[in-house]
Coordinates of all heavy atoms in Angstrom, one line a residue:
L1 N 126.0 180.8 40.8 CA 126.7 179.4 40.9 C 126.4 178.6 39.6 O 125.3 178.6 39.2 CB 126.2 178.7 42.1 CG 126.4 179.3 43.5 CD1 125.8 178.5 44.6 CD2 127.9 179.5 43.7
D2 N 127.4 178.0 39.1 CA 127.3 177.2 37.9 C 126.7 175.8 38.3 O 127.3 175.1 39.1 CB 128.7 177.0 37.3 CG 128.7 176.2 36.0 OD1 127.6 175.5 35.7 OD2 129.7 176.2 35.3
T3 N 125.6 175.5 37.8 CA 125.0 174.2 38.1 C 125.3 173.1 37.1 O 124.9 172.1 37.1 CB 123.5 174.3 38.2 OG1 122.9 174.8 37.0 CG2 123.1 175.2 39.3
G4 N 126.0 173.6 36.0 CA 126.3 172.6 34.9 C 127.7 172.0 35.0 O 128.1 171.3 34.1
S5 N 128.4 172.1 36.1 CA 129.8 171.7 36.2 C 129.7 170.6 37.3 O 129.2 170.7 38.3 CB 130.7 172.7 36.5 OG 132.0 172.1 36.8
S6 N 130.5 169.4 37.1 CA 130.6 168.4 38.1 C 131.8 168.7 39.0 O 132.1 167.9 39.9 CB 130.7 167.1 37.4 OG 131.8 167.0 36.5
L7 N 132.6 169.7 38.7 CA 133.8 170.1 39.5 C 133.7 171.5 40.0 O 133.0 172.3 39.5 CB 135.0 169.9 38.6 CG 135.3 168.6 38.0 CD1 136.4 168.7 37.0 CD2 135.6 167.6 39.1
M8 N 134.5 171.8 41.0 CA 134.8 173.1 41.5 C 136.0 173.5 40.8 O 136.9 172.8 40.7 CB 135.0 173.2 43.0 CG 133.7 172.9 43.8 SD 133.8 173.0 45.5 CE 134.7 171.5 45.9
M9 N 135.9 174.8 40.2 CA 137.1 175.2 39.4 C 137.5 176.7 39.8 O 136.7 177.4 40.3 CB 136.6 175.3 37.9 CG 136.3 173.9 37.4 SD 135.9 174.0 35.6 CE 134.1 174.1 35.7
G10 N 138.7 177.0 39.5 CA 139.3 178.3 39.8 C 140.6 178.4 39.2 O 141.2 177.4 38.7
P11 N 141.2 179.6 39.3 CA 142.5 179.8 38.8 C 143.5 178.9 39.4 O 143.5 178.7 40.6 CB 142.9 181.3 39.1 CG 141.5 181.9 39.3 CD 140.6 180.9 39.8
Q12 N 144.5 178.5 38.6 CA 145.6 177.6 39.1 C 146.3 178.2 40.4 O 146.5 177.4 41.4 CB 146.6 177.4 38.0 CG 147.9 176.6 38.5 CD 147.6 175.2 38.9 OE1 146.9 174.5 38.3 NE2 148.2 174.8 40.1
K13 N 146.5 179.5 40.4 CA 147.2 180.1 41.5 C 146.4 180.0 42.8 O 147.0 180.1 43.9 CB 147.6 181.5 41.2 CG 146.4 182.5 41.1 CD 146.9 183.9 40.9 CE 145.7 184.9 41.0 NZ 145.1 185.0 42.3
D14 N 145.1 179.8 42.7 CA 144.3 179.7 44.0 C 143.9 178.2 44.2 O 144.0 177.7 45.4 CB 143.0 180.5 43.8 CG 143.2 181.9 43.6 OD1 143.9 182.5 44.5 OD2 142.7 182.6 42.6
V15 N 143.6 177.5 43.2 CA 143.2 176.1 43.4 C 144.3 175.1 43.7 O 144.2 174.2 44.5 CB 142.4 175.6 42.2 CG1 142.1 174.1 42.3 CG2 141.1 176.4 42.0
G16 N 145.5 175.4 43.0 CA 146.7 174.6 43.3 C 147.0 174.5 44.8 O 147.2 173.4 45.4
P17 N 147.2 175.6 45.4 CA 147.6 175.6 46.8 C 146.4 175.1 47.7 O 146.7 174.3 48.8 CB 147.7 177.1 47.2 CG 148.2 177.7 45.9 CD 147.4 177.0 44.9
L18 N 145.2 175.2 47.3 CA 144.0 174.6 48.0 C 144.1 173.1 48.0 O 144.0 172.5 49.0 CB 142.7 175.1 47.5 CG 141.5 174.5 48.1 CD1 141.3 174.9 49.5 CD2 140.2 175.1 47.3
I19 N 144.4 172.6 46.8 CA 144.5 171.1 46.7 C 145.6 170.6 47.6 O 145.4 169.6 48.3 CB 144.7 170.7 45.2 CG1 143.5 171.1 44.4 CG2 145.2 169.2 45.1 CD1 143.7 171.0 42.9
T20 N 146.7 171.4 47.7 CA 147.8 170.9 48.5 C 147.4 170.9 50.0 O 147.7 170.1 50.8 CB 149.0 171.8 48.3 OG1 149.4 171.7 46.9 CG2 150.2 171.5 49.2
M21 N 146.7 172.0 50.5 CA 146.3 172.2 51.8 C 145.3 171.1 52.2 O 145.3 170.7 53.4 CB 145.7 173.6 52.0 CG 146.7 174.7 52.1 SD 146.0 176.3 52.6 CE 145.4 176.8 51.0
L22 N 144.5 170.6 51.3 CA 143.6 169.6 51.6 C 144.2 168.2 51.7 O 143.6 167.2 52.1 CB 142.5 169.5 50.6 CG 141.5 170.7 50.5 CD1 140.6 170.7 49.3 CD2 140.7 170.9 51.8
G23 N 145.5 168.1 51.4 CA 146.3 166.9 51.6 C 146.5 166.1 50.4 O 147.0 164.9 50.4
F24 N 146.2 166.7 49.2 CA 146.4 166.0 47.9 C 147.7 166.2 47.3 O 147.9 165.7 46.1 CB 145.3 166.3 46.9 CG 144.0 165.6 47.3 CD1 143.1 166.1 48.2 CD2 143.7 164.4 46.7 CE1 142.0 165.4 48.6 CE2 142.5 163.7 46.9 CZ 141.6 164.2 47.9
G25 N 148.6 166.9 47.9 CA 149.9 167.2 47.2 C 149.6 168.2 46.0 O 149.0 169.2 46.1
H26 N 150.2 167.8 44.9 CA 150.1 168.7 43.6 C 149.1 168.0 42.6 O 149.2 168.4 41.4 CB 151.4 169.0 43.1 CG 152.4 169.6 44.0 ND1 152.2 171.0 44.4 CD2 153.5 169.2 44.8 CE1 153.1 171.4 45.3 NE2 153.9 170.2 45.5
D27 N 148.3 167.2 43.0 CA 147.4 166.5 42.1 C 146.0 166.4 42.7 O 145.9 166.5 43.9 CB 148.0 165.1 41.6 CG 147.3 164.5 40.4 OD1 146.4 165.1 39.9 OD2 147.8 163.4 40.0
T28 N 145.0 166.0 41.9 CA 143.7 165.9 42.4 C 143.3 164.4 42.8 O 142.3 164.1 43.3 CB 142.7 166.4 41.5 OG1 142.7 165.8 40.2 CG2 142.7 167.9 41.2
Q29 N 144.3 163.5 42.5 CA 144.1 162.1 42.8 C 145.3 161.5 43.6 O 146.4 162.0 43.4 CB 144.0 161.3 41.5 CG 142.8 161.5 40.7 CD 142.7 160.6 39.5 OE1 143.2 159.5 39.5 NE2 142.1 161.0 38.4
M30 N 144.9 160.6 44.5 CA 146.0 160.0 45.3 C 145.5 158.7 45.9 O 144.3 158.5 46.0 CB 146.5 160.9 46.4 CG 145.3 161.2 47.5 SD 145.9 162.3 48.8 CE 146.6 161.1 50.0
N31 N 146.4 157.8 46.1 CA 146.1 156.6 46.9 C 145.9 157.1 48.4 O 146.7 157.9 48.9 CB 147.2 155.6 46.8 CG 147.2 154.9 45.4 OD1 146.2 154.9 44.7 ND2 148.3 154.4 45.1
C32 N 144.9 156.5 49.0 CA 144.7 156.9 50.4 C 144.3 155.7 51.2 O 143.8 154.7 50.7 CB 143.7 158.0 50.5 SG 142.1 157.6 49.8
T33 N 144.4 155.8 52.6 CA 143.9 154.8 53.5 C 143.0 155.4 54.5 O 142.8 156.6 54.5 CB 145.1 154.1 54.1 OG1 145.7 155.0 55.0 CG2 146.1 153.6 53.2
D34 N 142.5 154.6 55.4 CA 141.7 155.2 56.5 C 142.5 156.1 57.4 O 142.0 157.0 58.2 CB 141.1 154.1 57.3 CG 140.0 153.3 56.6 OD1 139.4 154.0 55.7 OD2 139.7 152.2 57.0
A35 N 143.8 156.0 57.4 CA 144.7 156.9 58.1 C 144.8 158.3 57.6 O 145.1 159.2 58.3 CB 146.2 156.3 58.2
N36 N 144.4 158.5 56.3 CA 144.3 159.9 55.7 C 143.1 160.5 56.3 O 142.0 160.0 56.1 CB 144.3 159.8 54.2 CG 145.5 159.2 53.6 OD1 145.6 158.1 53.2 ND2 146.5 160.1 53.5
K37 N 143.4 161.7 56.9 CA 142.2 162.5 57.4 C 142.2 163.8 56.6 O 143.2 164.5 56.5 CB 142.4 162.8 58.9 CG 142.5 161.6 59.8 CD 141.3 160.8 59.7 CE 141.3 159.5 60.6 NZ 140.5 158.5 60.2
F38 N 141.1 164.1 56.0 CA 140.9 165.3 55.2 C 140.1 166.3 55.9 O 139.2 166.0 56.6 CB 140.3 165.0 53.9 CG 141.1 163.9 53.0 CD1 140.8 162.6 53.1 CD2 142.0 164.4 52.2 CE1 141.5 161.7 52.4 CE2 142.8 163.5 51.5 CZ 142.6 162.1 51.6
P39 N 140.5 167.6 55.8 CA 139.8 168.7 56.5 C 138.5 169.1 55.9 O 138.2 168.8 54.8 CB 140.8 169.8 56.5 CG 141.5 169.6 55.1 CD 141.6 168.1 55.0
K40 N 137.7 169.8 56.7 CA 136.5 170.4 56.2 C 137.0 171.6 55.3 O 138.1 172.1 55.5 CB 135.6 170.9 57.3 CG 135.0 169.8 58.1 CD 134.1 170.3 59.2 CE 133.6 169.2 60.1 NZ 132.7 169.6 61.1
L41 N 136.1 172.1 54.4 CA 136.4 173.1 53.5 C 135.2 174.1 53.6 O 134.1 173.8 53.5 CB 136.5 172.7 52.1 CG 136.7 173.7 51.0 CD1 138.0 174.4 51.1 CD2 136.7 173.0 49.6
S42 N 135.6 175.4 53.9 CA 134.5 176.5 54.1 C 134.7 177.6 52.9 O 135.8 177.9 52.6 CB 134.7 177.1 55.4 OG 134.5 176.2 56.5
F43 N 133.6 178.0 52.6 CA 133.4 179.2 51.7 C 132.6 180.2 52.4 O 131.6 179.9 53.0 CB 132.7 178.8 50.4 CG 133.5 177.9 49.5 CD1 133.3 176.5 49.6 CD2 134.5 178.3 48.7 CE1 134.0 175.6 48.8 CE2 135.3 177.5 47.8 CZ 135.0 176.1 47.9
M44 N 132.9 181.5 52.2 CA 132.1 182.6 52.7 C 131.3 183.0 51.5 O 131.9 183.5 50.4 CB 133.0 183.8 53.2 CG 133.7 183.4 54.5 SD 132.5 183.3 55.9 CE 132.0 184.9 56.2
V45 N 130.0 183.0 51.6 CA 129.0 183.4 50.5 C 128.0 184.3 51.1 O 127.3 183.8 52.0 CB 128.4 182.1 49.8 CG1 127.4 182.7 48.7 CG2 129.4 181.3 49.2
G46 N 127.9 185.5 50.7 CA 127.0 186.4 51.2 C 127.1 186.7 52.7 O 126.1 186.9 53.4
G47 N 128.3 186.6 53.2 CA 128.6 186.8 54.7 C 128.3 185.6 55.5 O 128.4 185.7 56.7
K48 N 127.9 184.5 54.9 CA 127.7 183.3 55.6 C 128.8 182.2 55.4 O 129.2 182.1 54.2 CB 126.3 182.7 55.3 CG 125.2 183.6 55.7 CD 123.9 182.9 55.5 CE 122.8 183.9 55.7 NZ 121.8 183.5 56.6
Q49 N 129.2 181.6 56.4 CA 130.2 180.5 56.2 C 129.5 179.2 55.9 O 128.7 178.7 56.7 CB 131.0 180.3 57.5 CG 132.2 179.3 57.3 CD 133.1 179.3 58.5 OE1 133.1 180.2 59.3 NE2 133.8 178.2 58.7
L50 N 129.8 178.6 54.7 CA 129.2 177.3 54.3 C 130.3 176.3 54.3 O 131.4 176.4 53.6 CB 128.6 177.5 53.0 CG 127.6 178.6 52.8 CD1 127.1 178.8 51.3 CD2 126.4 178.3 53.7
E51 N 130.2 175.3 55.2 CA 131.2 174.3 55.4 C 130.9 173.0 54.8 O 129.8 172.5 54.9 CB 131.4 174.1 56.9 CG 132.6 173.4 57.4 CD 132.7 173.5 58.9 OE1 131.9 172.8 59.5 OE2 133.6 174.2 59.4
M52 N 131.9 172.5 54.0 CA 131.7 171.2 53.3 C 132.6 170.1 54.0 O 133.7 170.3 54.5 CB 132.2 171.3 51.9 CG 131.5 172.3 51.0 SD 132.2 172.6 49.4 CE 131.7 171.0 48.6
E53 N 132.0 168.9 54.2 CA 132.7 167.8 54.7 C 133.6 167.2 53.6 O 133.3 167.5 52.4 CB 131.7 166.7 55.2 CG 130.8 167.2 56.3 CD 131.6 167.3 57.6 OE1 132.6 166.7 57.8 OE2 131.1 168.1 58.4
P54 N 134.6 166.4 53.9 CA 135.5 165.8 52.9 C 134.6 165.1 51.9 O 134.9 165.1 50.7 CB 136.4 165.0 53.7 CG 136.5 165.6 55.0 CD 135.2 166.2 55.3
E55 N 133.6 164.4 52.4 CA 132.7 163.6 51.5 C 132.1 164.4 50.4 O 131.6 163.9 49.5 CB 131.7 162.8 52.3 CG 132.3 161.8 53.2 CD 132.8 162.4 54.6 OE1 132.2 163.5 55.0 OE2 133.7 161.9 55.1
D56 N 131.9 165.7 50.7 CA 131.3 166.6 49.8 C 132.2 167.1 48.6 O 131.7 167.3 47.6 CB 130.8 167.9 50.5 CG 129.8 167.7 51.6 OD1 128.9 166.8 51.4 OD2 129.7 168.4 52.6
Y57 N 133.5 167.2 48.9 CA 134.4 167.7 47.9 C 135.3 166.6 47.3 O 136.2 167.0 46.4 CB 135.2 168.9 48.4 CG 136.2 168.6 49.5 CD1 137.4 168.0 49.3 CD2 135.9 169.0 50.8 CE1 138.3 167.7 50.3 CE2 136.8 168.7 51.8 CZ 138.0 168.1 51.5 OH 138.9 167.8 52.6
M58 N 135.1 165.4 47.7 CA 136.0 164.3 47.1 C 135.2 163.0 47.1 O 134.2 162.8 47.7 CB 137.3 164.2 48.0 CG 137.0 163.7 49.4 SD 138.5 163.4 50.3 CE 138.8 161.7 50.0
D59 N 135.8 162.0 46.3 CA 135.2 160.7 46.2 C 136.3 159.8 46.6 O 137.5 160.0 46.5 CB 134.8 160.3 44.8 CG 133.4 160.8 44.5 OD1 132.6 160.9 45.4 OD2 133.2 161.1 43.3
R60 N 135.9 158.6 47.1 CA 136.9 157.6 47.5 C 136.4 156.2 47.0 O 135.2 156.0 47.1 CB 136.9 157.6 49.0 CG 137.8 156.7 49.6 CD 137.7 156.8 51.2 NE 139.0 156.4 51.7 CZ 139.6 157.0 52.6 NH1 139.2 158.2 53.1 NH2 140.8 156.6 53.0
S61 N 137.2 155.5 46.3 CA 136.7 154.2 45.8 C 137.9 153.2 45.8 O 139.1 153.5 45.9 CB 136.2 154.3 44.4 OG 137.3 154.7 43.5
H62 N 137.5 151.9 45.9 CA 138.5 150.8 45.9 C 138.5 150.1 44.5 O 137.4 149.8 44.0 CB 138.2 149.9 47.1 CG 139.3 148.8 47.2 ND1 140.5 149.1 47.7 CD2 139.3 147.5 46.8 CE1 141.3 148.0 47.7 NE2 140.6 147.0 47.1
S63 N 139.7 149.9 44.1 CA 139.8 149.1 42.8 C 140.4 147.7 43.2 O 141.2 147.6 44.1 CB 140.8 149.8 41.9 OG 141.2 149.0 40.8
H64 N 140.0 146.7 42.5 CA 140.6 145.4 42.7 C 142.1 145.3 42.5 O 142.8 144.4 42.9 CB 139.9 144.3 41.9 CG 140.1 144.4 40.4 ND1 139.4 145.4 39.6 CD2 140.9 143.8 39.6 CE1 139.8 145.3 38.4 NE2 140.7 144.4 38.3
N65 N 142.6 146.3 41.7 CA 144.1 146.4 41.4 C 144.9 146.9 42.6 O 146.1 146.9 42.6 CB 144.3 147.3 40.2 CG 143.7 146.8 39.0 OD1 143.5 145.6 38.9 ND2 143.4 147.7 38.1
Q66 N 144.2 147.5 43.6 CA 144.9 148.0 44.8 C 145.0 147.1 46.0 O 144.1 146.2 46.1 CB 144.3 149.4 45.2 CG 144.4 150.4 44.1 CD 143.5 151.7 44.4 OE1 142.4 151.5 44.6 NE2 144.2 152.8 44.4
K67 N 145.9 147.3 46.8 CA 146.0 146.5 48.0 C 144.8 146.6 48.9 O 144.2 147.8 48.9 CB 147.3 146.8 48.8 CG 148.6 146.6 48.1 CD 149.7 146.9 49.1 CE 150.9 147.3 48.4 NZ 152.0 147.9 49.3
K68 N 144.6 145.7 49.7 CA 143.5 145.8 50.7 C 143.8 147.0 51.6 O 144.9 147.2 52.1 CB 143.4 144.5 51.5 CG 142.2 144.5 52.5 CD 142.1 143.3 53.2 CE 140.8 143.3 54.1 NZ 140.6 142.1 54.8
G69 N 142.8 147.8 51.9 CA 142.9 149.0 52.7 C 143.5 150.3 52.0 O 143.5 151.3 52.6
V70 N 143.8 150.0 50.7 CA 144.1 151.3 49.9 C 143.2 151.7 48.9 O 142.6 150.8 48.2 CB 145.5 151.0 49.2 CG1 145.9 152.2 48.4 CG2 146.6 150.7 50.2
D71 N 142.6 152.9 48.9 CA 141.7 153.4 48.0 C 142.3 154.5 47.1 O 143.3 155.0 47.4 CB 140.5 154.0 48.9 CG 139.7 153.0 49.7 OD1 139.6 151.8 49.3 OD2 139.2 153.4 50.8
L72 N 141.5 154.8 46.1 CA 141.8 156.0 45.3 C 141.0 157.1 45.8 O 139.7 157.0 45.9 CB 141.5 155.7 43.8 CG 141.7 156.8 42.9 CD1 143.2 157.3 42.8 CD2 141.3 156.5 41.4
C73 N 141.6 158.2 46.1 CA 140.8 159.4 46.5 C 141.0 160.5 45.5 O 142.1 160.6 44.9 CB 141.4 159.9 47.9 SG 140.9 158.9 49.3
W74 N 139.9 161.1 45.2 CA 139.8 162.0 44.0 C 139.1 163.3 44.5 O 137.9 163.3 44.8 CB 139.1 161.4 42.9 CG 139.0 162.3 41.6 CD1 140.0 162.7 40.9 CD2 137.8 162.7 41.1 NE1 139.4 163.5 39.8 CE2 138.1 163.6 40.0 CE3 136.4 162.6 41.5 CZ2 137.2 164.2 39.2 CZ3 135.5 163.2 40.7 CH2 135.9 164.0 39.6
A75 N 139.8 164.4 44.4 CA 139.3 165.8 44.8 C 138.5 166.3 43.6 O 139.0 166.3 42.5 CB 140.3 166.7 45.3
H76 N 137.3 166.9 43.8 CA 136.5 167.5 42.8 C 136.9 168.9 42.5 O 136.1 169.8 42.5 CB 135.1 167.4 43.2 CG 134.5 166.0 43.4 ND1 133.8 165.4 42.4 CD2 134.6 165.2 44.4 CE1 133.4 164.2 42.9 NE2 134.0 164.1 44.1
F77 N 138.1 169.1 42.1 CA 138.6 170.4 41.8 C 139.3 170.4 40.5 O 139.9 169.3 40.1 CB 139.7 170.9 42.8 CG 139.1 171.2 44.2 CD1 139.1 170.2 45.1 CD2 138.6 172.5 44.4 CE1 138.5 170.5 46.4 CE2 138.1 172.7 45.6 CZ 138.0 171.7 46.6
M78 N 139.3 171.5 39.7 CA 140.1 171.6 38.5 C 140.6 173.0 38.3 O 139.8 174.0 38.3 CB 139.1 171.3 37.3 CG 139.9 171.3 35.9 SD 138.9 170.7 34.6 CE 138.2 172.3 34.0
P79 N 141.9 173.1 38.3 CA 142.5 174.4 38.0 C 142.3 174.8 36.6 O 142.3 174.0 35.7 CB 144.0 174.2 38.3 CG 144.1 172.9 39.0 CD 142.9 172.1 38.6
I80 N 141.9 176.1 36.4 CA 141.7 176.5 35.0 C 142.5 177.7 34.7 O 143.0 178.5 35.6 CB 140.2 176.9 34.7 CG1 139.7 177.9 35.8 CG2 139.3 175.7 34.8 CD1 138.3 178.4 35.6
G81 N 142.8 177.9 33.4 CA 143.6 179.0 33.0 C 142.9 180.3 32.8 O 141.7 180.3 33.1
D82 N 143.6 181.3 32.4 CA 143.0 182.6 32.2 C 142.0 182.5 31.1 O 142.2 182.1 30.0 CB 144.1 183.6 31.8 CG 143.6 185.0 31.7 OD1 142.4 185.3 31.9 OD2 144.4 185.9 31.3
T83 N 140.8 183.0 31.4 CA 139.7 183.1 30.4 C 139.6 184.3 29.6 O 138.8 184.5 28.7 CB 138.3 182.9 31.1 OG1 138.1 184.1 32.0 CG2 138.2 181.6 31.9
G84 N 140.5 185.3 29.9 CA 140.5 186.6 29.3 C 139.4 187.5 29.9 O 139.2 188.6 29.4
R85 N 138.6 187.1 30.9 CA 137.6 187.8 31.5 C 137.9 188.0 33.0 O 137.0 188.3 33.8 CB 136.3 187.2 31.3 CG 135.9 187.0 29.9 CD 134.8 185.9 29.7 NE 133.5 186.5 29.8 CZ 132.4 185.9 29.8 NH1 132.4 184.6 29.7 NH2 131.2 186.5 29.8
G86 N 139.1 187.8 33.3 CA 139.5 187.9 34.8 C 139.3 186.5 35.4 O 138.8 185.6 34.8
P87 N 139.7 186.4 36.7 CA 139.6 185.1 37.4 C 138.1 184.7 37.6 O 137.3 185.6 37.9 CB 140.3 185.3 38.7 CG 140.4 186.8 38.9 CD 140.3 187.4 37.6
I88 N 137.9 183.4 37.4 CA 136.5 182.9 37.6 C 136.6 181.8 38.6 O 137.6 181.0 38.6 CB 135.7 182.6 36.4 CG1 136.4 181.4 35.7 CG2 135.5 183.8 35.4 CD1 135.4 180.7 34.6
F89 N 135.6 181.6 39.4 CA 135.4 180.4 40.3 C 134.1 179.8 40.0 O 133.1 180.5 39.9 CB 135.6 180.9 41.7 CG 136.8 181.4 42.1 CD1 137.3 182.7 42.0 CD2 137.8 180.5 42.7 CE1 138.5 183.1 42.2 CE2 139.1 180.9 43.0 CZ 139.4 182.2 42.8
V90 N 134.1 178.5 39.9 CA 132.8 177.7 39.7 C 132.8 176.8 40.8 O 133.6 176.0 41.0 CB 132.9 177.0 38.3 CG1 131.7 176.1 38.1 CG2 133.1 177.9 37.2
L91 N 131.7 176.8 41.6 CA 131.5 175.9 42.7 C 130.8 174.7 42.3 O 131.1 173.6 42.9 CB 130.7 176.6 43.9 CG 131.4 177.8 44.5 CD1 130.6 178.4 45.6 CD2 132.8 177.5 45.0
G92 N 130.1 174.6 41.3 CA 129.5 173.4 40.7 C 128.8 172.5 41.6 O 128.4 172.8 42.7
M93 N 128.6 171.2 41.1 CA 127.7 170.3 41.8 C 128.3 169.8 43.2 O 127.5 169.6 44.0 CB 127.5 169.0 40.9 CG 126.6 169.2 39.8 SD 125.0 170.0 40.2 CE 124.4 168.6 41.3
P94 N 129.6 169.8 43.5 CA 130.1 169.4 44.8 C 129.5 170.4 45.8 O 129.0 170.0 46.9 CB 131.5 169.4 44.7 CG 131.8 169.1 43.3 CD 130.7 169.8 42.5
F95 N 129.5 171.6 45.5 CA 129.0 172.7 46.4 C 127.5 172.6 46.5 O 126.9 172.6 47.6 CB 129.4 174.0 45.9 CG 129.0 175.1 46.8 CD1 129.7 175.5 47.9 CD2 127.8 175.9 46.5 CE1 129.3 176.5 48.8 CE2 127.4 176.9 47.3 CZ 128.2 177.2 48.5
L96 N 126.8 172.5 45.3 CA 125.3 172.4 45.3 C 124.7 171.2 46.0 O 123.7 171.3 46.6 CB 124.8 172.6 43.9 CG 125.1 173.9 43.2 CD1 124.6 173.8 41.8 CD2 124.3 175.0 44.0
R97 N 125.4 170.1 45.9 CA 124.9 168.9 46.6 C 125.0 169.1 48.1 O 124.2 168.5 48.8 CB 125.8 167.7 46.2 CG 125.5 167.1 44.9 CD 126.1 165.7 44.7 NE 127.5 165.8 44.9 CZ 128.5 165.5 43.9 NH1 128.1 165.2 42.7 NH2 129.7 165.7 44.2
A98 N 125.9 169.9 48.6 CA 126.1 170.0 50.0 C 125.1 171.0 50.6 O 124.8 171.0 51.8 CB 127.5 170.5 50.4
F99 N 124.6 171.9 49.7 CA 123.7 173.0 50.2 C 122.5 173.1 49.4 O 122.5 173.1 48.2 CB 124.4 174.3 50.3 CG 125.7 174.3 51.0 CD1 126.9 174.1 50.5 CD2 125.6 174.3 52.4 CE1 128.1 174.1 51.2 CE2 126.8 174.3 53.2 CZ 128.0 174.2 52.6
Y100 N 121.3 173.1 50.0 CA 120.1 173.1 49.3 C 119.8 174.5 48.7 O 120.1 175.5 49.3 CB 118.9 172.9 50.4 CG 117.5 172.9 49.7 CD1 117.1 171.8 49.0 CD2 116.7 174.0 49.9 CE1 115.8 171.8 48.4 CE2 115.4 174.0 49.4 CZ 115.0 172.9 48.7 OH 113.8 172.9 48.1
T101 N 119.6 174.5 47.5 CA 119.4 175.8 46.8 C 118.0 175.8 46.1 O 117.5 174.9 45.5 CB 120.5 175.9 45.6 OG1 121.7 175.7 46.2 CG2 120.4 177.2 44.9
V102 N 117.3 177.0 46.2 CA 116.0 177.2 45.5 C 116.2 178.4 44.7 O 116.7 179.4 44.9 CB 115.0 177.5 46.6 CG1 113.7 177.8 46.0 CG2 114.9 176.3 47.6
Y103 N 115.7 178.2 43.4 CA 115.7 179.3 42.4 C 114.3 179.8 42.2 O 113.3 179.1 42.2 CB 116.2 178.8 41.1 CG 117.7 178.4 41.2 CD1 118.1 177.2 41.4 CD2 118.7 179.4 41.0 CE1 119.5 176.8 41.6 CE2 120.1 179.1 41.1 CZ 120.4 177.8 41.3 OH 121.7 177.5 41.4

């Protein structure tokens, strides 16, 4: 697991649909309200299902420029292009913050 990244990253063909399924449409940022409900996100690692809460994979903040009750929601994902070494996935800090890791 990459501990030097602040985002979860993977190939566009995988991360793009994931961002859409999480409710962000085709972007990692959106305006949201309390009415927006985001799903849990699970990864299978070593045969174990590790489940992340929405607060683990996204941030939510309010700006004085926005209407009352409207926040900016930002998913901690970044689609990446071909590295020439095959597809890579980086779980980064959003994943590591959710699960205690000992090296």
Side-chain angles (χ1 to χ4, degrees):
L1 297 176
D2 181 349
T3 59
S5 175
S6 60
L7 300 172
M8 292 184 281
M9 298 182 266
Q12 171 66 45
K13 70 178 187 65
D14 298 306
V15 174
L18 177 60
I19 292 168
T20 300
M21 285 187 277
L22 293 174
F24 281 84
H26 299 291
D27 198 354
T28 58
Q29 294 184 27
M30 64 180 274
N31 287 337
C32 59
T33 68
D34 288 339
N36 293 100
K37 301 298 180 205
F38 298 95
K40 294 180 180 181
L41 175 64
S42 296
F43 292 97
M44 289 294 289
V45 178
K48 295 187 186 228
Q49 182 174 341
L50 303 173
E51 192 171 74
M52 298 175 74
E53 297 291 332
E55 299 80 29
D56 297 327
Y57 66 77
M58 62 176 273
D59 278 329
R60 181 179 207 131
S61 65
H62 184 75
S63 170
H64 66 280
N65 297 335
Q66 294 170 308
K67 294 183 209 175
K68 184 178 181 178
V70 177
D71 295 328
L72 175 64
C73 288
W74 178 66
H76 295 261
F77 290 94
M78 185 171 92
I80 54 175
D82 184 4
T83 63
R85 301 163 91 187
I88 65 166
F89 291 86
V90 176
L91 296 179
M93 288 305 298
F95 182 83
L96 292 175
R97 280 193 304 246
F99 303 100
Y100 182 75
T101 305
V102 177
Y103 293 93

